């Protein structure tokens, strides 16, 4: 559960869901940086929001991330379990894999049966090395937009990206058609908890009850067009992740 501290709930859903999506620049991940203990760090677009609400910010994987709020970790944990909360996960690594051989390419790197995925369906899978050892976990979604959408862990960002880029270059040298695009300028927010979908529904016209586990769809979320909404999460409760496109 150690990673949970870097996925700290921003605050209760009812307090800030509309405020979050009223940010005019929500589509962009901030490029500016700060220094904590001498380390130059990146900030997500919600950094000022975290500071305004008295978050304790710490360095994690090259980012300034909130570790807890005034109400403490235990209170935040219980609120997610009993109600709903919002997590800033914009530091996660987001990539798109393009090309007619994109499925063949990603299946050369992971253990999952990506070919079996339906349109806009995702799968939790694993990057493995040449010896079969596990390098990282990731989610691969087979979008209807002509690419695979991949989300992997910030703590393994440098290693994962190097592995993907090098493997793609080797794949193309063998006449394969696959290109890895780093999505470095879009926010990613997770809405988690048993009440999360019910509350989020107030800002979405699409019927979220029809979005089943690991299904993904582009929707307008609180006025922001073409957000990719995926029914998934890591808290043990129901929830979705929302990425601006």
């Amino acid at each position: 559960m150690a990673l949970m501290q870097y996925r700290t709930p921003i605050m209760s859903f009812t307090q800030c869901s509309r405020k979050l999506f009223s940010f005019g620049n929500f589509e962009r991940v901030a490029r500016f940086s700060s220094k904590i203990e001498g380390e130059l760090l990146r900030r997500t677009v919600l950094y000022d929001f975290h500071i305004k609400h008295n978050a304790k910010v710490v360095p994690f994987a090259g980012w300034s991330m909130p570790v807890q709020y005034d109400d403490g970790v235990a209170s935040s944990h219980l609120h997610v379990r009993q109600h709903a909360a919002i997590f800033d996960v914009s530091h996660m690594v987001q990539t798109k894999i393009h090309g007619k051989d994109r499925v063949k390419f990603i299946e050369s790197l992971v253990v999952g049966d990506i070919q079996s995925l339906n349109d806009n369906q995702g799968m939790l899978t694993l990057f493995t090395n040449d010896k079969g050892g596990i390098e990282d976990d990731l989610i691969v979604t087979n979008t209807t937009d002509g690419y695979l959408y991949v989300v992997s862990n910030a703590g393994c960002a440098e290693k994962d990206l190097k592995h993907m880029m090098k493997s793609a270059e080797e794949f193309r040298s063998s006449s394969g058609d696959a290109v890895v695009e780093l999505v470095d300028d879009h926010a990613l927010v997770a809405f988690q908890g048993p009440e999360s979908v019910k509350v989020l529904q107030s800002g979405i016209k699409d019927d979220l009850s029809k979005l089943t586990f690991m299904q993904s769809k582009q929707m307008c979320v609180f006025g922001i067009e073409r957000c990719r909404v995926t029914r998934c999460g890591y808290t043990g409760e129901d929830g979705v992740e929302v990425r601006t496109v």
Side-chain angles (χ1 to χ4, degrees):
M1 296 298 291
L3 277 179
M4 280 294 295
Q5 61 184 315
Y6 299 107
R7 293 170 172 173
T8 306
I10 292 174
M11 59 174 56
S12 72
F13 229 112
T14 52
Q15 287 177 292
C16 71
S17 56
R18 285 183 176 82
K19 289 182 181 179
L20 261 174
F21 282 90
S22 67
F23 287 178
N25 65 340
F26 182 74
E27 293 88 345
R28 309 293 295 183
V29 173
R31 298 283 185 172
F32 52 85
S33 303
S34 60
K35 278 191 175 182
I36 296 181
E37 298 178 355
E39 183 179 359
L40 189 63
L41 302 170
R42 298 183 67 188
R43 301 175 181 177
T44 74
V45 73
L46 297 176
Y47 177 84
D48 290 342
F49 186 94
H50 299 311
I51 297 301
K52 180 180 178 181
H53 291 89
N54 301 317
K56 177 183 178 181
V57 175
V58 300
F60 176 69
W63 293 81
S64 298
M65 298 301 295
V67 68
Q68 69 179 66
Y69 291 85
D70 286 343
D71 57 354
V73 174
S75 176
S76 294
H77 170 81
L78 291 174
H79 197 89
V80 175
R81 288 294 190 181
Q82 298 168 1
H83 303 289
I86 303 172
F87 294 72
D88 180 6
V89 290
S90 299
H91 64 309
M92 301 286 280
V93 182
Q94 301 178 68
T95 52
K96 296 179 181 179
I97 301 178
H98 306 271
K100 64 181 179 63
D101 298 322
R102 58 188 179 275
V103 172
K104 181 179 179 182
F105 167 68
I106 195 65
E107 286 192 339
S108 71
L109 305 182
V110 304
V111 298
D113 183 7
I114 308 304
Q115 183 68 49
S116 69
L117 292 175
N118 296 322
D119 289 346
N120 293 315
Q121 182 182 22
M123 173 187 293
L124 177 65
T125 186
L126 302 169
F127 277 130
T128 55
N129 57 37
D130 293 340
K131 296 182 180 180
I134 297 171
E135 294 292 334
D136 195 10
D137 64 296
L138 64 154
I139 291 179
V140 180
T141 301
N142 179 32
T143 77
T144 54
D145 301 311
Y147 61 84
L148 299 174
Y149 172 51
V150 179
V151 179
S152 55
N153 291 297
C156 298
E158 184 176 355
K159 177 179 67 174
D160 288 352
L161 288 171
K162 182 178 179 180
H163 178 51
M164 293 176 73
M165 295 297 184
K166 181 180 178 181
S167 298
E169 185 177 349
E170 293 172 350
F171 187 78
R172 289 192 297 273
S173 69
S174 300
S175 301
D177 181 15
V179 176
V180 178
E181 175 194 358
L182 175 62
V183 181
D184 198 28
D185 58 358
H186 293 275
L188 182 65
V189 178
F191 298 78
Q192 300 288 300
E195 298 177 4
S196 58
V197 172
K198 179 179 69 174
V199 178
L200 187 60
Q201 184 65 76
S202 65
I204 296 179
K205 292 182 179 180
D206 295 78
D207 185 356
L208 290 176
S209 68
K210 296 180 179 178
L211 191 72
T212 57
F213 185 64
M214 297 306 291
Q215 290 293 314
S216 179
K217 185 178 180 181
Q218 286 195 27
M219 304 179 186
C220 178
V221 180
F222 287 102
I224 297 196
E225 300 288 345
R226 301 180 66 239
C227 292
R228 178 165 293 281
V229 181
T230 304
R231 192 73 170 261
C232 64
Y234 43 79
T235 61
E237 301 294 343
D238 191 14
V240 299
E241 292 185 0
V242 179
R243 180 182 77 90
T244 56
V245 178

